[in-house]
Amino acid sequence: QVQLVESGGGLVQAGGSLRLSCAVSGLTFSRYSMSWFRQAPGKEREFVAAISRSGGVTFYADYVKGRFTISRDNAKNMVFLRLNSLEPEDTAVYYCATGSGLTNSKRPDEYSYWGQGTQVTVSS
């Protein structure tokens, strides 16, 4: 079956950096665009970034542009999210997702597959 497993979250001070990873199995990875979402306590799940199947095209939410970078390694079936200049407002559970019909869909209900999430906590 399809599995997405995130890792790399943790506790970091404001201004710090983290690199999140998502290992994917059970599907032909290179045929799927990949996305990252996040969900803070009491808030809706929100789109963070997306990357095309080849990795040549990327999309970002306005509030992370210039700070976060999405990338992928099709040989290793992995997608990454580099988080720089972290702010307390970035505190959330971060999820990787795939299976939407549109590469940069911002609607969580359009995604078929999700990981379990990894917690990112940014202290001030």
Side-chain angles (χ1 to χ4, degrees):
Q1 73 276 22
V2 178
Q3 285 192 314
L4 286 70
V5 180
E6 302 95 336
S7 60
L11 173 63
V12 63
Q13 289 188 330
S17 298
L18 285 172
R19 187 194 193 209
L20 307 183
S21 300
C22 175
V24 181
S25 60
L27 51 76
T28 304
F29 183 70
S30 61
R31 295 183 182 177
Y32 287 79
S33 59
M34 297 295 302
S35 296
W36 286 93
F37 283 75
R38 69 184 185 184
Q39 188 166 19
K43 294 188 175 181
E44 298 289 317
R45 192 167 296 191
E46 62 181 6
F47 172 83
V48 175
I51 189 166
S52 64
R53 291 174 292 178
S54 68
V57 181
T58 56
F59 303 89
Y60 295 95
D62 287 343
Y63 45 81
V64 303
K65 278 182 181 176
R67 298 191 299 124
F68 293 3
T69 303
I70 189 171
S71 61
R72 67 189 292 161
D73 185 337
N74 283 355
K76 295 183 178 179
N77 288 9
M78 296 191 72
V79 61
F80 307 98
L81 187 67
R82 177 72 178 180
L83 289 65
N84 291 332
S85 303
L86 282 162
E87 304 166 352
E89 294 74 22
D90 295 316
T91 294
V93 178
Y94 284 71
Y95 300 89
C96 62
T98 191
S100 73
L102 190 63
T103 298
N104 63 333
S105 172
K106 295 177 175 59
R107 291 182 51 178
D109 62 351
E110 292 186 352
Y111 288 79
S112 301
Y113 306 110
W114 292 86
Q116 83 289 348
T118 185
Q119 176 71 48
V120 171
T121 303
V122 185
S123 63
S124 56

